[in-house]
Amino acid sequence: MTNIRIDAEPDAVLGVLEETAALIIDMQRDFLEPGGYGEALRNDVSRLRSAIAPCKVLLEGLRARGVFVVYTREGHRPDLSDAPPAKLARGEPSRRIGEVGAMGRILVRGEPGHDIIDELAPRPGEPVVDKPGKGAFYNTDLHSILEHRDIRTLLVCGVTTEVCVHTTVREANDRGYRCLVVADCCASYSPEFHEIGLRMITAQGGILGWVTDSKRVLEPLR
Ligand code: C5J
């Protein structure tokens, strides 16, 4: 077992490398590229691109040390039977979940828009967890996947900071995981929400977890 110390706010985190996983949340075309769900909800999707390069570097460094990597994707069955009516009713009618957009049916599993962006494509052996909600533990087998590997610490990356990253960190925190949110590997359509979302995690002595960055994660792994 390899002990590691990662510098973070509000304080450094001590963990075990073999019990640490990277959790890459929803780095999908539907959120990061034009013509998908993010744009359908009137967001400037280019704002999320800042997270791609740091995420790529971080993943390369973590993979080189054998760290387990898990991806998530938000989306629904083609018949939309797992999508709550209140979620389906959001946005302009012609651009709602299930409608045909520039990358296939919006936020539907199996469509090009639903998949992870090419720059961060998962490697063989890295599970991809499909989730119907914002949180990665809700109605998924993520908890079992992590428990089978004895994972206790999560390095959380992805989009968007205040929605799916936040919801997942809250769920993970309640399940006993130590969550380090990697700030430069996360992004939001709103820079203000990104900053405030990170501050909410570290408030009150780290009420939901810790915040670090890709450099500080990689430092002890060199
Ligand atoms: C959103 C997400 N923003 N992955 N999803 O609807 O954060």
Side-chain angles (χ1 to χ4, degrees):
M1 291 288 170
T2 313
N3 293 317
I4 48 165
R5 179 188 185 280
I6 301 174
D7 190 30
E9 283 80 48
D11 47 25
V13 173
L14 304 176
V16 173
L17 190 61
E18 294 79 2
E19 295 176 356
T20 301
L23 185 57
I24 313 300
I25 307 282
D26 302 359
M27 292 299 273
Q28 298 162 250
R29 295 191 190 106
D30 254 318
F31 294 108
L32 286 118
E33 292 184 3
Y37 188 53
E39 199 175 75
L41 294 181
R42 298 181 177 280
N43 294 300
D44 174 0
V45 294
S46 69
R47 292 218 165 132
L48 302 189
R49 300 201 72 80
S50 62
I52 299 174
C55 230
K56 218 171 158 198
V57 172
L58 181 74
L59 283 174
E60 275 163 20
L62 294 176
R63 284 172 178 139
R65 293 297 304 268
V67 173
F68 186 48
V69 179
V70 185
Y71 284 79
T72 70
R73 297 184 297 203
E74 180 181 347
H76 296 282
R77 294 167 182 257
D79 65 4
L80 305 183
S81 57
D82 61 344
K87 185 175 181 184
L88 292 176
R90 296 200 191 138
E92 270 175 50
S94 65
R95 302 173 84 190
R96 287 180 180 166
I97 296 169
E99 297 302 324
V100 178
M103 296 182 290
R105 293 180 67 208
I106 294 172
L107 220 60
V108 169
R109 295 179 188 167
E111 300 289 334
H114 179 257
D115 213 352
I116 308 293
I117 55 170
D118 291 341
E119 297 93 318
L120 297 175
R123 300 276 170 83
E126 296 177 348
V128 179
V129 174
D130 282 330
K131 61 188 183 67
K134 305 304 180 197
F137 291 85
Y138 169 68
N139 273 351
T140 73
D141 52 6
L142 176 61
H143 195 39
S144 309
I145 292 172
L146 298 174
E147 277 190 324
H148 296 159
R149 292 256 182 167
D150 294 325
I151 298 297
R152 306 302 325 142
T153 300
L154 298 174
L155 301 167
V156 188
C157 305
V159 297
T160 60
T161 314
E162 79 281 11
V163 184
C164 291
V165 170
H166 233 266
T167 307
T168 299
V169 166
R170 286 164 185 261
E171 290 180 328
N173 183 55
D174 281 348
R175 285 165 177 79
Y177 294 96
R178 207 185 275 119
C179 292
L180 282 101
V181 177
V182 188
D184 54 331
C185 296
C186 295
S188 169
Y189 300 118
S190 152
E192 186 190 354
F193 288 169
H194 174 78
E195 288 308 322
I196 290 173
L198 296 176
R199 273 169 50 201
M200 286 168 73
I201 286 162
T202 59
Q204 302 177 64
I207 193 133
L208 297 172
W210 289 259
V211 171
T212 186
D213 54 63
S214 54
K215 278 201 177 116
R216 288 190 284 172
V217 173
L218 293 174
E219 189 61 38
L221 304 185
R222 282 184 216 292

